[in-house]
Amino acid sequence: MKKLLNTLYVTSWDRYLALDGENVVILSEKQEIGRVPLHNLEAIITFGFTGASPALMGACAKRNVALSFLSQSGRFLARVSGEERGNVLLRKRQYLLSEAKEASLDIAKGFITGKIFNTRWILERATRDHGMRLDTEKLKRVSSQLKNSMRAVQKCESMETLRGIEGEAASLYFSVFDDLILQQKEFFSFQGRNRRPPLDGVNALLSFVYTLLTNMCTAALETVGLDPYVGFMHTDRPGRVSLALDLMEELRPVFADRFVLSLINKRMVSPSGFYEKENGAVLMDGNTRKNILLAWQTRKQETIRHPFLEEKVEWGMVPYTQALLLARYIRGDLDGYPPFMWK
């Protein structure tokens, strides 16, 4: 249980939520383990499957406290919201900003600034922790180029230019990604990003974990009332969660890429868990996917200090905090969107 930005997060699967007077009561096996005044909350997000009492759902609807239900893995299930809420004003504002070139560019700059910053941090940390095993001059050179890319982001005046900067920065980063793989290089080598289908084990891992992160970002946006299908940088396309893809850009390096590197370097996956199809696609077997999902759940429970909020949060809550900050910016409660810049 964690209260953050006037939102109560209940991350354990076996918690039941009830109402006692003006308080939300959290129960475990019918025993009270915590309570929070309802009037202090804007939203409640629960990952449990034991549910919530009808009294609490009614009180949340009456007081305009959004109550969102997610699966244990983080998939959005449903949201209870009051008659007056429905996040209509927030979504109307989102749609207006998505059609305004300058406003969309400002928000997109935040996403890409966070992404490039975090890719630089991965390289800088690698040179610090594994300097004896790496070509540090090479990594430092790419890091310096990425720093220049961050400056270029702040100066760019069109979405097309921003996409070009982002693409170039991604190419620079992936040009040295193979250097960061320190174990099992005979199988897990990386010669460039490929997908649909992935043609090697590293790309198979990246694609799978990116899908997990996309689902988390989609659920996070749903819980705060934003439309995950209407983005600012990624263009609208039927069936594509454009805003979730926007939001995950800054989280991709530190959440997904670092996780993939850990899987390989700590030998949590092995070459025997992959197989190649006739068309060249490299896929994972069922046991490997299961082990990755277990490791992913463990990683989500690790605690960090959020660089903007300066509070301790679990890794798994980061997409939700960023979605909340984005919603507050869109509402006009923040002067700018603060991207997640981890160090």
Side-chain angles (χ1 to χ4, degrees):
M1 183 181 76
K2 173 73 174 178
K3 183 184 173 190
L4 193 68
L5 291 172
N6 294 326
T7 298
L8 176 65
Y9 295 87
V10 182
T11 55
S12 298
W13 61 270
D14 60 344
R15 303 298 189 249
Y16 183 79
L17 307 182
L19 182 70
D20 182 15
E22 293 296 315
N23 297 295
V24 182
V25 179
I26 298 90
L27 303 171
S28 177
E29 297 181 351
K30 299 183 179 181
Q31 298 295 316
E32 179 180 333
I33 62 171
R35 62 173 53 212
V36 179
L38 189 59
H39 68 267
N40 288 342
L41 299 175
E42 292 181 3
I44 302 171
I45 299 173
T46 176
F47 292 77
F49 59 76
T50 55
S53 71
L56 176 62
M57 288 189 280
C60 287
K62 183 178 179 180
R63 293 165 177 77
N64 293 328
V65 177
L67 173 58
S68 298
F69 297 91
L70 282 74
S71 70
Q72 189 179 355
S73 64
R75 182 171 59 87
F76 179 81
L77 299 174
R79 180 175 59 246
V80 175
S81 56
E83 183 176 343
E84 301 175 15
R85 194 179 177 92
N87 301 287
V88 174
L89 295 179
L90 174 62
R91 290 202 175 197
K92 286 180 70 174
R93 178 68 177 162
Q94 176 190 355
Y95 300 149
L96 285 172
L97 292 179
S98 71
E99 296 295 328
K101 290 184 178 180
E102 186 174 344
S104 292
L105 180 62
D106 285 342
I107 297 173
K109 281 182 178 181
F111 296 139
I112 301 307
T113 296
K115 178 179 183 178
I116 299 175
F117 180 94
N118 289 329
T119 55
R120 284 196 69 224
W121 176 84
I122 287 179
L123 302 185
E124 292 292 335
R125 179 160 182 170
T127 59
R128 184 194 70 190
D129 294 346
H130 306 288
M132 299 296 292
R133 304 176 63 183
L134 297 171
D135 184 345
T136 57
E137 289 187 10
K138 178 182 177 183
L139 295 183
K140 287 286 187 181
R141 183 170 61 253
V142 172
S143 177
S144 178
Q145 291 173 296
L146 290 171
K147 187 175 183 179
N148 292 333
S149 297
M150 287 182 62
R151 295 194 186 103
V153 166
Q154 302 309 312
K155 296 177 181 178
C156 78
E157 298 181 352
S158 72
M159 193 68 75
E160 292 72 20
T161 302
L162 180 63
R163 291 191 181 103
I165 296 169
E166 186 276 332
E168 182 181 347
S171 295
L172 283 169
Y173 167 63
F174 280 127
S175 73
V176 293
F177 194 76
D178 186 64
D179 296 52
L180 307 180
I181 300 172
L182 305 176
Q183 301 290 338
Q184 308 185 88
K185 292 288 289 242
E186 65 282 355
F187 180 80
F188 293 108
S189 63
F190 183 82
Q191 305 305 318
R193 186 76 178 104
N194 53 66
R195 67 206 89 176
R196 300 187 188 96
L199 302 177
D200 56 70
V202 179
N203 275 288
L205 288 169
L206 288 172
S207 292
F208 183 61
V209 174
Y210 286 167
T211 299
L212 297 178
L213 183 56
T214 301
N215 292 338
M216 287 181 66
C217 290
T218 302
L221 293 165
E222 289 275 13
T223 62
V224 301
L226 289 169
D227 187 338
Y229 291 89
V230 179
F232 299 103
M233 181 173 177
H234 287 83
T235 55
D236 297 342
R237 185 184 301 170
R240 181 164 79 171
V241 283
S242 297
L243 186 57
L245 296 175
D246 284 349
L247 183 64
M248 73 176 284
E249 289 292 356
E250 66 201 63
L251 303 179
R252 229 186 259 257
V254 288
F255 207 149
D257 296 352
R258 283 182 66 236
F259 177 69
V260 167
L261 290 170
S262 294
L263 290 174
I264 298 170
N265 290 335
K266 294 182 179 180
R267 298 181 181 273
M268 299 167 72
V269 293
S270 66
S272 62
F274 296 77
Y275 62 95
E276 184 175 348
K277 298 186 69 177
E278 293 179 358
N279 64 353
V282 175
L283 304 178
M284 295 174 283
D285 62 25
N287 285 333
T288 298
R289 283 196 301 272
K290 180 180 178 181
N291 291 337
I292 291 171
L293 288 171
L294 290 172
W296 180 254
Q297 292 299 104
T298 300
R299 174 62 60 89
K300 284 163 56 177
Q301 295 170 9
E302 294 178 3
T303 302
I304 62 167
R305 189 169 185 83
H306 194 284
F308 178 78
L309 301 177
E310 296 186 347
E311 291 190 45
K312 288 185 177 180
V313 300
E314 294 177 352
W315 262 117
M317 287 173 55
V318 171
Y320 298 88
T321 61
Q322 294 308 120
L324 273 171
L325 292 170
L326 179 60
R328 291 193 172 193
Y329 169 65
I330 290 174
R331 284 197 191 98
D333 297 334
L334 292 174
D335 293 333
Y337 168 69
F340 183 79
M341 301 170 72
W342 180 237
K343 200 168 185 178

